[in-house]
Amino acid sequence: MIAASAVPVITIDGPTSSGKGTISRSVARALGWKLLDSGALYRLVALAGQLAHLDPDDVDGHVSIARRMQVEFQADDTGEERVLLEGEDVTGAVRAETTGQGASRVAVWPAVRDALVARQRAFAEPPGLVADGRDMGTVIFPAAELKVFLTASAEERAARRHKQLISKGSTANLADLSREIAERDQRDSSRAVAPLKPASDAVLLDSTGLAIQQVVARVLALGRERGLWKV
Ligand code: DC
C-alpha cells in the first residue's frame, strides 16, 4: 500500500472502551502503518508517578515525568505488544484499571498535556500513522486526512470491558464498571483543556452491535474514498 501524501494520518478518537484500541491496531496492521496509543502515554505518566511515590496532586512532578520518561512500544515474538518504561516491562501495570483512573486524572492538567504533544507528533512517520486517543483529531493532528470519532452505548462499553477483564482472569463487577465508565466519560468530556469531543470534520461511527471487522472495513473504506493510499 503506497501512501498518497508523505505521512498521512488517520485519527481515531472516542470514549473509553469504545473499541478504539482494537480498531486502531487492526487498521494500522492492515495498512502496515505506525500506531500511536496516546492513552498509554497518559497511563505511563500516572504509573511512573505511582512508582516514584509522587503525591497524586503533584503537577510539576508529573510534568517532569511526561518530559523525561523513556518509553518503548515493542512487539514480542507472538506479536503481543509490550510496553517498556525506563527499560522495564510494565505491560500489565499500564493496562490496570487503577492506572487508567490515574491517567484520567493527570490528563486534566494542561502542563502534562503540553509536555506530551511533541512526543505524540513524533509518531507520524512514513508510510502513515493511525493515532488513537481523545484529542488526536482536535489537538494533536488537526490536519489529519481522516478523522473518526468512534462511539458505542455506555452499556455495550461496560459489557466489552467486563468481558475483557474476565478473559484476563481478573474479577470485575458489571455495575461497578458501568459507574466507573460513566465517571471517566464525565471527567474526560468536561475538562477545560482538550475535552473529549469530535472534531468538526470527524466522521461519527457508532460501533454498537457491530463486529470489529465491520468497523475496520468501514474505516478502510473511508480512507480509500479519500485517496489516502494508492492500491
Ligand atoms: O484510552 P485510555 O483508556 O488508555 O486512556 C486513559 C486516560 O488517558 C483516559 O481516561 C483519558 C486520557 N487520555 C487523554 O486525555 N487524551 C488522550 N489522547 C488519550 C487518553
Side-chain angles (χ1 to χ4, degrees):
M1 212 80 75
I2 302 163
S5 70
V7 186
V9 176
I10 298 177
T11 59
I12 304 188
D13 289 306
T16 193
S17 298
S18 56
K20 283 176 294 129
T22 310
I23 304 299
S24 302
R25 201 172 310 115
S26 302
V27 170
R29 256 190 215 147
L31 295 171
W33 287 11
K34 312 270 176 217
L35 176 69
L36 163 61
D37 173 1
S38 61
L41 294 177
Y42 289 94
R43 286 169 180 270
L44 283 160
V45 172
L47 179 65
Q50 282 164 24
L51 294 174
H53 304 290
L54 271 195
D55 181 330
D57 294 323
D58 178 352
V59 181
D60 291 345
H62 285 89
V63 170
S64 158
I65 285 176
R67 288 210 187 101
R68 289 202 215 123
M69 66 181 182
Q70 287 233 4
V71 304
E72 260 177 90
F73 296 90
Q74 296 180 342
D76 69 12
D77 300 344
T78 63
E80 278 294 302
E81 277 148 32
R82 319 278 347 154
V83 184
L84 306 188
L85 173 65
E86 312 298 340
E88 294 286 321
D89 189 331
V90 292
T91 312
V94 154
R95 288 283 134 224
E97 209 52 31
T98 46
T99 310
Q101 296 293 333
S104 174
R105 274 193 299 275
V106 301
V108 169
W109 298 323
V112 166
R113 305 197 70 85
D114 281 352
L116 292 176
V117 170
R119 206 187 264 271
Q120 293 176 86
R121 290 190 178 145
F123 277 79
E125 280 182 4
L129 175 71
V130 179
D132 153 9
R134 305 290 194 289
D135 60 344
M136 298 296 99
T138 48
V139 177
I140 307 296
F141 299 108
E145 281 79 359
L146 172 61
K147 301 177 184 178
V148 174
F149 194 83
L150 196 64
T151 57
S153 68
E155 297 74 31
E156 178 142 339
R157 289 188 284 128
R160 284 179 189 168
R161 186 81 187 120
H162 186 247
K163 204 167 135 195
Q164 200 179 40
L165 288 171
I166 300 289
S167 74
K168 282 192 212 150
S170 310
T171 48
N173 173 299
L174 191 56
D176 287 348
L177 280 174
S178 296
R179 193 172 22 79
E180 278 162 24
I181 282 182
E183 277 170 18
R184 184 122 55 111
D185 279 357
Q186 169 64 19
R187 185 162 43 213
D188 292 346
S189 338
S190 62
R191 65 175 177 232
V193 178
L196 171 67
K197 66 162 198 296
S200 55
D201 51 351
V203 178
L204 299 188
L205 197 52
D206 185 346
S207 70
T208 310
L210 293 183
I212 292 167
Q213 275 320 314
Q214 291 175 294
V215 183
V216 171
R218 179 85 189 107
V219 175
L220 291 174
L222 286 165
R224 210 174 299 120
E225 276 166 27
R226 292 186 184 201
L228 259 59
W229 54 81
K230 299 183 195 115
V231 234

